[in-house]
Amino acid sequence: APIPEGFAPLVAGGPYIQHNGPLYVLHQGNVVKFGFRVEPRHTNPMGNLHGGMMASFCDMLLPLSVHYQDAALAQRFLPTISLQIDYLAPSPLGCWLEGTGQLLRATRSMVFAQGLVTADGVPCARASGVFKLGPQRPQESTAP
């Protein structure tokens, strides 16, 4: 199935996510969405997205969303301190998984964010996380 219109390949996240992706981003004004098509290699024995892949997606979704929402944080590496995920519904093979994230608060040393993930428009995961305010990101990252 095709990638939804407006989404472009995301070049960020290092070798791990490049191997397990590809991920896509749509950035139009204040709207930032991340997504990917669930492929056979992403699934569990029941043919649904593996929980570990959902966790990896959420661990990218939240800090990358923050990069687009706060110019002061745009080039900072945000290592994960804590990540909570509520799995709401299965994400079947072939579905388009799409997520949005929201910066809740940034302090001098930490960032708090939350997000929602849908599978073909149906809510399938809710995530929240705490991230350390780290060093400048390497130049190969393409977020703002």
Side-chain angles (χ1 to χ4, degrees), residues 23-41:
L23 299 183
Y24 297 87
V25 62
L26 178 145
H27 183 213
Q28 296 172 329
N30 292 333
V31 175
V32 180
K33 297 178 182 180
F34 297 90
F36 72 99
R37 181 78 56 201
V38 176
E39 299 176 10
R41 64 195 175 97

Side-chain angles (χ1 to χ4, degrees), residues 77-99:
F77 182 58
L78 301 173
T80 307
I81 293 173
S82 173
L83 180 66
Q84 298 80 42
I85 303 168
D86 296 320
Y87 296 89
L88 306 174
S91 306
L93 175 64
C95 77
W96 175 252
L97 200 81
E98 186 172 298

Side-chain angles (χ1 to χ4, degrees), residues 23-135:
L23 299 183
Y24 297 87
V25 62
L26 178 145
H27 183 213
Q28 296 172 329
N30 292 333
V31 175
V32 180
K33 297 178 182 180
F34 297 90
F36 72 99
R37 181 78 56 201
V38 176
E39 299 176 10
R41 64 195 175 97
H42 300 134
T43 61
N44 62 24
M46 298 302 295
N48 294 309
L49 182 67
H50 190 284
M53 185 61 192
M54 177 67 81
S56 292
F57 179 70
C58 290
D59 198 33
M60 294 291 296
L61 169 67
L62 297 180
L64 288 173
S65 294
V66 166
H67 289 152
Y68 283 91
Q69 294 172 22
D70 188 322
L73 301 173
Q75 294 304 320
R76 300 296 292 269
F77 182 58
L78 301 173
T80 307
I81 293 173
S82 173
L83 180 66
Q84 298 80 42
I85 303 168
D86 296 320
Y87 296 89
L88 306 174
S91 306
L93 175 64
C95 77
W96 175 252
L97 200 81
E98 186 172 298
T100 58
Q102 175 187 18
L103 171 63
L104 297 174
R105 182 170 183 234
T107 69
R108 290 184 305 155
S109 61
M110 291 190 290
V111 172
F112 301 82
Q114 67 181 6
L116 181 66
V117 181
T118 61
D120 288 336
V122 176
C124 61
R126 178 177 53 202
S128 62
V130 180
F131 304 88
K132 180 169 177 44
L133 189 57

